[in-house]
Amino acid sequence: EFHTSTPFVLPPSLGTYQPTSDKEYACEVLNSPTDGTYYDPRLEFKVRWRIKNVGQKNWEGDSVDFVYDTGDKIHKVKGYDLGEGTDIGNVAELFVTMQAPKDPGTYTTYWTLRYGTYKFCKVAFTIRVR
């Protein structure tokens, strides 16, 4: 089951934006959550990625999803619809609600944008549990 996450979309900085990738779907990660942050066991928290659409197609809200890919399952929801979508040159802020495991250790989760079965823009996040 997916939840609709309405990303905050920032306007492009200059008029018409030309894609910097030769791929239809591509991204540039502008900001990621800080890896290696310590969390208390079972603490629920939210992380954010800021991702710019540098491909040749707009990310339509009803056809591009931000989903769990592999790694540790520390998320509360396995995927999010983009909601309003993200035009070429614009930036999406993607939020994921997570929960630290009960056992101490290091955990890494991998997420990706997905259009149909095509995955692009893979990101990772690592936490430490005290």
Side-chain angles (χ1 to χ4, degrees):
E1 116 233 7
F2 283 177
H3 290 260
T4 298
S5 169
T6 307
F8 178 74
V9 179
L10 304 172
S13 52
L14 303 168
T16 303
Y17 180 80
Q18 294 300 314
T20 57
S21 173
D22 60 355
K23 296 179 178 164
E24 289 187 345
Y25 292 95
C27 79
E28 177 185 345
V29 179
L30 302 178
N31 297 97
S32 297
T34 304
D35 280 332
T37 301
Y38 279 97
Y39 291 92
D40 290 328
R42 298 198 185 277
L43 179 73
E44 192 170 298
F45 58 97
K46 189 178 275 195
V47 294
R48 176 190 77 150
W49 283 271
R50 290 183 70 241
I51 297 175
K52 185 174 187 175
N53 181 352
V54 298
Q56 298 183 349
K57 295 221 179 220
N58 293 335
W59 302 341
E60 301 300 331
D62 58 353
S63 58
V64 175
D65 302 314
F66 189 53
V67 297
Y68 166 77
D69 193 33
T70 60
D72 294 304
K73 295 180 180 179
I74 58 177
H75 53 274
K76 299 285 283 182
V77 177
K78 67 180 179 179
Y80 298 88
D81 289 322
L82 280 195
E84 296 175 10
T86 306
D87 290 345
I88 298 166
N90 286 1
V91 175
E93 290 192 315
L94 305 173
F95 296 89
V96 176
T97 302
M98 299 191 180
Q99 184 172 22
K102 66 178 172 67
D103 297 321
T106 301
Y107 299 87
T108 302
T109 185
Y110 299 88
W111 284 70
T112 187
L113 285 170
R114 186 180 70 199
Y115 174 74
T117 58
Y118 179 69
K119 295 176 182 178
F120 67 102
C121 199
K122 293 183 181 186
V123 295
F125 176 56
T126 300
I127 68 166
R128 298 165 89 178
V129 177
R130 300 181 195 278

